[in-house]
Amino acid sequence: MKIDLLELLEEEDTYTGRQKELDLFFESLESKQWNEYKILSYYGVGGIGKTELRKEIMKKLENGSEAESTYIDFETNELQQVEKALVYLRTEIGKKYGVQFTLFDAAYIIYMEKTNNAVSINE
């Protein structure tokens, strides 16, 4: 009998190697203190599984969690600029959850006007 290993891997949940981190993350979400933690941030050298950990967390969050979530990849050159990273997060959360950020938008306009002479509040 032949077994197609690729097919077997696709059928099963094959995530391994960061179960402790996953458990800690979801325990903190379920605890009564979860609203104290607003951002999950992790870093490390290339190849240790950061992207796979993020994918697994996002997959589990999308399948039955009440938590709102999105992520930002700071490897993207454009998102390494704070202003663009904030707008990216605002846009993603707004699209995904229908949240409006009126105060953020107003503060961002004022910030851009003060830091960038080419932008006026009328724009």
Side-chain angles (χ1 to χ4, degrees):
M1 178 173 147
K2 274 186 158 180
I3 298 175
D4 185 343
L5 291 177
L6 289 177
E7 187 176 311
L8 183 63
L9 288 174
E10 289 172 1
E11 290 176 8
E12 294 184 21
D13 184 7
T14 58
Y15 183 78
T16 59
R18 295 284 181 234
Q19 194 60 46
K20 178 181 175 185
E21 289 83 352
L22 279 174
D23 291 344
L24 288 170
F25 175 77
F26 285 100
E27 284 172 19
S28 71
L29 274 184
E30 293 170 6
S31 77
K32 298 206 183 292
Q33 301 172 350
W34 75 270
N35 62 353
E36 293 178 18
Y37 306 101
K38 306 270 187 225
I39 297 173
L40 169 65
S41 176
Y42 54 94
Y43 60 92
V45 296
I48 63 170
K50 297 179 300 294
T51 300
E52 291 305 313
L53 177 61
R54 186 220 5 113
K55 286 178 184 177
E56 190 67 15
I57 287 171
M58 295 302 289
K59 182 171 78 173
K60 290 186 181 298
L61 286 172
E62 290 170 0
N63 294 329
S65 174
E66 294 179 16
E68 288 85 10
S69 61
T70 193
Y71 69 92
I72 187 165
D73 182 356
F74 289 111
E75 288 293 317
T76 306
N77 287 337
E78 184 175 295
L79 298 179
Q80 291 175 5
Q81 298 171 4
V82 174
E83 296 88 352
K84 291 183 180 182
L86 288 172
V87 169
Y88 173 83
L89 287 174
R90 178 241 181 267
T91 303
E92 288 298 305
I93 292 170
K95 284 191 300 190
K96 202 170 187 181
Y97 301 105
V99 177
Q100 294 187 6
F101 295 94
T102 309
L103 292 176
F104 172 85
D105 294 343
Y108 190 79
I109 290 168
I110 293 167
Y111 170 79
M112 289 302 291
E113 184 179 50
K114 288 185 177 197
T115 60
N116 186 344
N117 293 334
V119 175
S120 74
I121 201 142
N122 293 330
E123 292 178 48

